[in-house]
Amino acid sequence: LLQVLTGIGSQLVQFIKHKEAESALLESEERYRDLFENATDLIQCVTADGSFVYVNQAWRETLGYDEAEIAELKIFDVIPPSYKSQCIKIIKRVMSGEKIERIQAQFITKNQEIISLEGNINCKFVEGKPTLTRGIFRDITKRLETEAELRHQRDQTEKLLLNILPSSIAERLKEQPGTIADNLAEVTVMFADIVGFTELSAQSSPTVMVELLNEIFSEFDHLAERHKLEKIKTIGDAYMVAGGLPVPRADH
């Protein structure tokens, strides 16, 4: 009887430990699922044939698909055609065992909008064979739009700066802000005025005068560029140009 009770007790202990292990595993799985579901990053798990096994709430909300639609989707259904060849290369790399820590990708939302993502992707292997690809991404569409706008603003600022200053001076100001004073002993400065401009402007409309000045000064600009001269400024009908600055020239 004692041996029987000892055997039953041992089995009972094993059963309790097994239940405790199952409970701990279930709790761990729930904790990880809760973590994935509430993450702000887009998390996906895709089979080797491209079917979705799991996507989190952020993924569904960002792309706009519900669970029933996701069950019918393949990975290339949400990849823009222009990005498909690059995506195939990435999948081949991770299925060969490479873990890509940082990639940029593009997905198509349910509303047919293309969004840009950045993240990492790796592959799960079972008995040496690739079975699942797992990716974690963040939406960087707005960030890229902001960067593009900043680049545009910077280009516009540089164009404006180059309209005001010689390119060499503009570059020096960008690198070392401050006052620039160079001593140039040999330069030629030309001032040009339109003879009779005051009388002419009194007899013509502003529109006609602006068009006339634009035509003349545009031709002057072309000549200055051709002869590598530096346009200083225009005031009314006056045009000022210099040779031999900011880069000294013997033929100024």
Side-chain angles (χ1 to χ4, degrees):
L1 180 60
L2 183 60
Q3 290 177 349
V4 171
L5 290 176
T6 301
I8 293 173
S10 177
Q11 291 179 13
L12 187 59
V13 169
Q14 293 297 325
F15 177 76
I16 292 172
K17 287 183 177 180
H18 182 69
K19 283 297 181 182
E20 287 177 347
E22 282 186 348
S23 178
L25 181 61
L26 182 61
E27 184 180 348
S28 177
E29 288 178 350
E30 288 178 352
R31 185 164 57 247
Y32 277 111
R33 180 170 289 275
D34 185 60
L35 178 65
F36 289 155
E37 276 300 304
N38 293 300
T40 56
D41 288 342
L42 283 66
I43 301 174
Q44 68 179 39
C45 186
V46 181
T47 62
D49 68 350
S51 300
F52 287 96
V53 175
Y54 170 78
V55 297
N56 70 339
Q57 183 176 348
W59 196 102
R60 295 191 297 271
E61 290 179 351
T62 302
L63 275 73
Y65 298 101
D66 58 36
E67 293 185 1
E69 291 170 326
I70 294 169
E72 300 296 326
L73 288 174
K74 296 282 189 178
I75 184 64
F76 288 110
D77 293 332
V78 296
I79 299 295
S82 59
Y83 183 70
K84 185 175 180 179
S85 60
Q86 186 177 347
C87 182
I88 292 173
K89 292 178 182 178
I90 292 172
I91 292 174
K92 286 181 178 179
R93 286 169 59 189
V94 296
M95 284 191 170
S96 66
E98 182 180 353
K99 183 178 180 181
I100 303 178
E101 296 291 345
R102 186 174 180 180
I103 61 167
Q104 283 197 4
Q106 292 181 334
F107 280 4
I108 303 174
T109 68
K110 186 177 179 179
N111 295 328
Q112 298 303 303
E113 295 177 359
I114 296 178
I115 62 171
S116 299
L117 305 169
E118 184 180 72
N120 62 75
I121 184 171
N122 60 67
C123 186
K124 178 183 178 181
F125 289 85
V126 175
E127 296 180 354
K129 295 182 179 180
T131 57
L132 298 170
T133 59
R134 298 167 293 199
I136 301 177
F137 305 97
R138 66 194 62 88
D139 188 353
I140 60 169
T141 306
K142 290 184 179 180
R143 190 189 84 188
L144 293 181
E145 289 174 353
T146 302
E147 289 174 354
E149 181 62 25
L150 287 174
R151 284 194 298 270
H152 175 71
Q153 293 292 343
R154 184 184 61 197
D155 292 343
Q156 293 296 100
T157 302
E158 288 191 358
K159 286 180 181 178
L160 180 61
L161 190 62
L162 292 175
N163 280 334
I164 300 172
L165 298 170
S167 58
S168 59
I169 300 298
E171 289 299 324
R172 286 170 62 185
L173 277 176
K174 285 192 293 184
E175 293 176 3
Q176 297 178 340
T179 302
I180 294 177
D182 291 334
N183 183 18
L184 299 169
E186 295 290 334
V187 299
T188 298
V189 181
M190 182 189 78
F191 298 89
D193 260 338
I194 298 177
V195 176
F197 180 78
T198 303
E199 293 80 4
L200 182 63
S201 61
Q203 300 170 7
S204 305
S205 68
T207 303
V208 171
M209 294 311 302
V210 169
E211 289 177 352
L212 175 63
L213 289 175
N214 180 61
E215 182 180 350
I216 295 173
F217 287 169
S218 292
E219 185 61 31
F220 273 30
D221 287 344
H222 293 316
L223 288 168
E225 185 177 354
R226 182 193 307 170
H227 297 292
K228 294 184 172 61
L229 305 176
E230 193 62 49
K231 174 183 174 182
I232 306 301
K233 63 180 178 179
T234 60
I235 300 177
D237 66 324
Y239 191 96
M240 182 179 176
V241 67
L245 62 83
V247 180
R249 291 179 56 180
D251 62 343
H252 58 85

